[in-house]
Amino acid sequence: MKIIVCAKQVPDTSGKVAVNPNGTLNRASMPTITNPDDMNALEAALRIKEQTDCKVIVVTMGPMSARKMLLELLAMGADEAVLICGGQFGGSDTYATSQIIAAAIRKIGLENEDIILCGRQAIDGDTAQVGPQIAEKLDIPQVTYVAGISVDGRYISCKRMLEDGYMNIQVETPCLLTCIKELNEPRYMTVKGILECDKKPLTIFDYESLKDDPLIEPDTIGLKGSPTNIFKSFTAPQKGTGIMLEGSDREAVEKLFGILAEKHLI
Amino acid sequence: MKGYSSTNIDDFRGVWVFCEQRQGQLSETNFELISEGRKLADELGVELVGLLLGDDIKHRANELGGYGADRVLVCESPMLKEYTTDAYTKVVCDVVKERKPEILLFGATSIGRDLAPRCAARLHTGLTADCTHLDVDVRKYLEYLRKNSTLKVEEESFDMEDRNLKMTRPAFGGHLMATIICPRFRPCMSTVRPGVMKKASYDEEKARSVIVESLTVSLSQDDIRTKVLEVVKETRKMVDLVGSEVIVAVGRGISSDVERGIELAEQLADALGGVIGASRAVVDEGWLPTDHQVGQTGKTVRPKIYIALGISGAIQHQAGMQDAECIIAVNKNEAAPIFETADYGICGDLFSIVPLMIEQAKAQRS
Ligand SMILES: Cc1cc2nc3c(=O)[nH]c(=O)nc-3n(C[C@H](O)[C@H](O)[C@H](O)COP(=O)(O)OP(=O)(O)OC[C@H]3O[C@@H](n4cnc5c(N)ncnc54)[C@H](O)[C@@H]3O)c2cc1C
Ligand SMILES: Nc1ncnc2c1ncn2[C@@H]1O[C@H](COP(=O)(O)O)[C@@H](O)[C@H]1O
């Protein structure tokens, strides 16, 4: 049994973000992190490993610099890492991305007892599409929004969150689950892990190594193979700054309610 | 389906909305989407179709007509009673391949965001997630850009005949807006954020005259690879943020006395006839349940009055509340970004200001 964790390196969007005049993101100016939900996915995998002694492989598609993230995930406890990297893959939308990652997973070898874990969504695009699309391309069942996992041989029970409650769902391996932050609290790297991470296998899959998979066609991957295109990107205009109500607390509150009454808002 | 190809664009016609039922009930999101779909169908001059899956659900179809659907396609089976990815994907894709709609919308709910990507991958077409604005007509899109972007629209050239669906959504945590198109494949698919599109008024006449068509469903138990063991509904009453005209939201600013902070917010909300919202910080701390969260990963709200108490106004929070009609912020830090979006700001301690607000609100109401 093994668990394949899909993790993405993303710009840290929690702080200030620089936008180029043409409405694109100035990525170079931003620090990168491992996508938060993917950390929960790896943590879940490591906990199942502790229970079943399975192997954990992390997979990412991204630039060469994503190696650094993979080393961190190895230092957290993953056994092996795969970096899918190549110019042909650049500019992929979620459809193309999922085809490429699905092909990479087939190359790693997906067996009957295996589980694929993704994050629910990546904070750069917030699409939550890549997980289900990988599952479809591999023709395996999926459970999304997973906030609890228990493994019993090939049977996996998942707590799937809904807006107004949750479902308990049972699914058999091989399957793909997308993880949310409620699932667990990701661990930190250990000193031992950091010392050992660069001795663990880190394989690079380029276009050459995946091109024989039927999913990898020039017109189904990369910018050219992506069904969706960006038509425009832009920033919202700054809203005109509102009115600060001055004076003592009481005066300010009275002014506020005066205005609200005048505008018939209350 | 023999000969089906998502690239034969001219074969595809009509705007469809996937209508989601839970326990046989249709949520508000469906009506928002039908209302929005109506506009798109009118711009394209095509039919608006609701696609309704469930068990014994046909009697709900007229309701969709009332909000603007011309036709409702009903797929009924005991195997569609509870949502499962496999069953729903199969039925939706089978119908799409047979009838070929050009646009297919889903609500960006826990069901829509599970189902839509799976369908898009199977149908070999594009999908845009969590859209907040949709246009077909270029003129309308330009109008939208003039109002909502810093782009110099007049300096750019646009193809005025372009009939692609232009799907606009926040990206990079709300720092950027992106308009996405899917020019080479059909249907053009998107999930639409609940609470963003305006619901049309209900038309009894349309509800009566909607065409309801039952389709045969080809589904077997072997198609479904997951087993729903139980569905647990939250017993607590969920807060109706999206449907409320007044929201009093609290942030980490209540941390010095959480109980008192929430109590004050509740009293103010009560006095104004509103409900309690929260920033993610408050939900992460466990001070209020998740259904209260406003923002990018929470709910999008557009109440008449939004009062932010002790909320800094991070971009991810603003993404969910910036379209409120009137935003009021109370924060003790004069430089808090929330004051840049607020219509009215009071700089000070919420623990001393909110009691005065409650007093005023009560006085005005009586
Ligand atoms: C991918 C991602 C998604 C996110 N999604 C969301 C989302 O959906 N919704 C959301 O809200 N956030 C979201 N966030 C988090 C967001 O970035 C902020 O961290 C969060 O909104 C901060 O909450 P806050 O304003 O309550 O807390 P803080 O930023 O800590 O602000 C507290 C404020 O209270 C003020 N204050 C303190 N004491 C008092 C007092 N006594 N009286 C008055 N004012 C006081 C302070 O001056 C400060 O401005 C997301 C972040 C990421 C990275
Ligand atoms: N480039 C990538 N490399 C590896 N995993 C990815 C990549 N893009 C997306 N994923 C996985 O898919 C999930 C959903 O991503 P998204 O659909 O982009 O929101 C992420 O949390 C990851 O687990």
Side-chain angles (χ1 to χ4, degrees):
Chain A
M1 176 192 184
K2 64 178 175 301
I3 304 180
I4 297 175
V5 177
C6 300
K8 186 179 188 186
Q9 193 179 41
V10 292
D12 183 359
T13 56
S14 61
K16 271 259 175 273
V17 161
V19 178
N20 295 321
N22 65 358
T24 56
L25 196 78
N26 185 348
R27 278 181 188 258
S29 74
M30 295 171 73
T32 56
I33 53 170
T34 305
N35 183 48
D37 287 348
D38 305 355
M39 295 289 274
N40 299 106
L42 177 58
E43 177 61 33
L46 295 175
R47 290 187 192 183
I48 299 171
K49 178 185 153 95
E50 283 158 7
Q51 182 195 328
T52 63
D53 204 29
C54 63
K55 193 198 272 182
V56 175
I57 305 179
V58 283
V59 176
T60 193
M61 177 172 102
M64 253 328 159
S65 53
R67 242 186 117 250
K68 190 176 143 273
M69 173 191 80
L70 289 177
L71 288 173
E72 287 172 10
L73 302 181
L74 291 170
M76 269 173 74
D79 300 299
E80 293 178 23
V82 171
L83 172 57
I84 312 162
C85 183
Q88 294 87 343
F89 303 141
S92 293
D93 73 354
T94 66
Y95 186 95
T97 300
S98 63
Q99 304 234 102
I100 299 163
I101 295 177
I105 290 173
R106 283 214 284 239
K107 191 173 169 71
I108 294 168
L110 184 67
E111 281 158 294
N112 278 340
E113 309 74 43
D114 295 350
I115 307 174
I116 303 171
L117 297 180
C118 286
R120 172 182 66 145
Q121 63 189 48
I123 61 168
D124 50 357
D126 287 315
T127 79
Q129 289 172 187
V130 169
Q133 292 185 321
I134 293 174
E136 173 63 21
K137 292 295 164 192
L138 294 172
D139 193 20
I140 58 172
Q142 73 191 40
V143 182
T144 53
Y145 294 85
V146 171
I149 302 176
S150 76
V151 177
D152 179 9
R154 285 190 60 191
Y155 289 98
I156 316 288
S157 301
C158 304
K159 178 177 179 187
R160 174 179 198 267
M161 296 311 289
L162 304 171
E163 284 83 352
D164 57 351
Y166 61 91
M167 272 179 169
N168 281 323
I169 294 183
Q170 192 182 62
V171 59
E172 219 175 315
T173 62
C175 59
L176 183 146
L177 317 179
T178 78
C179 304
I180 58 176
K181 73 175 195 315
E182 287 75 9
L183 182 58
N184 53 41
E185 196 60 55
R187 68 193 63 190
Y188 293 101
M189 298 180 270
T190 60
V191 176
K192 184 160 169 281
I194 295 170
L195 291 174
E196 285 172 0
C197 67
D198 52 5
K199 292 185 202 80
K200 291 180 177 173
L202 194 164
T203 318
I204 299 195
F205 286 179
D206 58 5
Y207 177 74
E208 277 303 308
S209 55
L210 294 179
K211 72 172 192 319
D212 294 333
D213 192 294
L215 288 171
I216 306 294
E217 294 285 338
D219 58 352
T220 57
I221 59 162
L223 188 61
K224 253 184 64 204
S226 294
T228 60
N229 308 133
I230 297 180
F231 182 64
K232 277 272 166 270
S233 69
F234 56 90
T235 48
Q238 194 80 58
K239 203 175 151 180
T241 311
I243 302 169
M244 286 301 273
L245 302 166
E246 310 286 346
S248 68
D249 287 353
R250 182 167 289 279
E251 284 162 2
V253 171
E254 280 172 3
K255 273 186 214 165
L256 174 67
F257 279 80
I259 298 168
L260 294 180
E262 202 178 300
K263 299 204 159 193
H264 302 292
L265 280 161
I266 51 172
Chain B
M1 196 70 24
K2 237 190 327 174
Y4 177 83
S5 164
S6 57
T7 54
N8 292 341
I9 297 214
D10 295 338
D11 294 353
F12 291 77
R13 201 168 165 79
V15 175
W16 283 23
V17 174
F18 169 79
C19 298
E20 171 181 323
Q21 56 84 20
R22 297 187 193 197
Q23 282 88 44
Q25 302 292 322
L26 297 177
S27 67
E28 286 294 297
T29 312
N30 292 298
F31 308 138
E32 294 166 14
L33 257 66
I34 288 283
S35 308
E36 179 68 15
R38 181 73 263 160
K39 289 189 220 154
L40 301 174
D42 288 341
E43 285 176 30
L44 287 162
V46 298
E47 198 178 44
L48 175 67
V49 177
L51 178 59
L52 183 57
L53 276 60
D55 186 26
D56 188 17
I57 192 72
K58 195 173 176 180
H59 58 284
R60 292 273 167 209
N62 294 79
E63 235 176 313
L64 297 167
Y67 289 101
D70 298 310
R71 182 189 298 270
V72 178
L73 302 177
V74 184
C75 302
E76 288 175 310
S77 158
M79 282 178 271
L80 296 172
K81 187 172 175 24
E82 292 295 352
Y83 172 76
T84 59
T85 311
D86 285 334
Y88 273 60
T89 305
K90 176 160 196 306
V91 172
V92 170
C93 290
D94 285 352
V95 185
V96 165
K97 285 181 178 174
E98 191 191 307
R99 302 269 181 131
K100 305 190 184 72
E102 56 195 300
I103 291 175
L104 176 55
L105 308 179
F106 297 76
T109 61
S110 62
I111 288 179
R113 295 188 80 180
D114 184 83
L115 174 63
R118 191 93 200 195
C119 291
R122 189 167 302 179
L123 295 166
H124 193 162
T125 189
L127 170 65
T128 306
D130 223 7
C131 296
T132 53
H133 186 84
L134 300 172
D135 282 296
V136 169
D137 189 342
V138 182
R139 265 157 277 266
K140 292 208 172 128
Y141 177 65
L142 295 185
E143 214 173 284
Y144 167 77
L145 283 184
R146 278 189 202 103
K147 229 189 265 163
N148 297 287
S149 82
T150 53
L151 289 180
K152 298 198 173 59
V153 175
E154 319 309 329
E155 288 172 17
E156 308 203 17
S157 65
F158 288 89
D159 169 10
M160 300 310 281
E161 302 299 306
D162 170 20
R163 307 291 279 166
N164 276 303
L165 181 64
K166 290 159 272 295
M167 301 167 274
T168 304
R169 67 184 302 268
F172 296 103
H175 293 278
L176 265 187
M177 298 296 288
T179 303
I180 312 285
I181 50 172
C182 176
R184 294 174 295 121
F185 299 92
R186 291 292 178 270
C188 173
M189 292 176 50
S190 79
T191 60
V192 179
R193 191 151 240 241
V196 172
M197 303 301 175
K198 285 224 166 65
K199 194 171 81 173
S201 53
Y202 191 79
D203 182 341
E204 283 293 345
E205 183 48 44
K206 276 224 75 174
R208 267 192 301 273
S209 63
V210 62
I211 305 166
V212 182
E213 218 184 311
S214 284
L215 305 182
T216 36
V217 172
S218 119
L219 203 58
S220 85
Q221 210 60 56
D222 293 341
D223 293 323
I224 306 171
R225 294 167 291 184
T226 53
K227 196 148 100 202
V228 179
L229 301 177
E230 60 175 338
V231 183
V232 182
K233 273 209 136 198
E234 188 74 65
T235 43
R236 179 176 58 79
K237 197 174 169 312
M238 309 294 275
V239 57
D240 181 18
L241 281 182
V242 174
S244 187
E245 294 214 322
V246 176
I247 295 173
V248 179
V250 291
R252 210 195 312 268
I254 61 169
S255 63
S256 63
D257 187 347
V258 174
E259 235 170 85
R260 174 90 182 123
I262 292 175
E263 184 187 305
L264 285 172
E266 266 166 3
Q267 288 174 7
L268 181 58
D270 278 347
L272 295 169
V275 297
I276 306 281
S279 72
R280 174 151 138 191
V282 167
V283 171
D284 282 352
E285 294 284 356
W287 298 338
L288 282 172
T290 323
D291 52 312
H292 289 267
Q293 186 180 319
V294 172
Q296 185 201 349
T297 37
K299 299 210 174 71
T300 301
V301 297
R302 38 173 60 171
K304 260 165 80 176
I305 301 180
Y306 189 89
I307 305 181
L309 305 173
I311 292 178
S312 60
I315 191 127
Q316 295 90 353
H317 187 79
Q318 290 194 24
M321 45 66 81
Q322 60 201 4
D323 291 330
E325 204 173 307
C326 176
I327 298 170
I328 298 161
V330 178
N331 195 303
K332 67 177 179 190
N333 174 8
E334 202 178 14
I338 191 76
F339 287 130
E340 287 161 32
T341 3
D343 298 282
Y344 304 103
I346 300 180
C347 183
D349 188 335
L350 72 94
F351 290 100
S352 49
I353 290 170
V354 180
L356 299 169
M357 293 173 83
I358 296 167
E359 197 182 292
Q360 283 286 321
K362 282 188 178 155
Q364 296 232 357
R365 285 246 154 170
S366 58

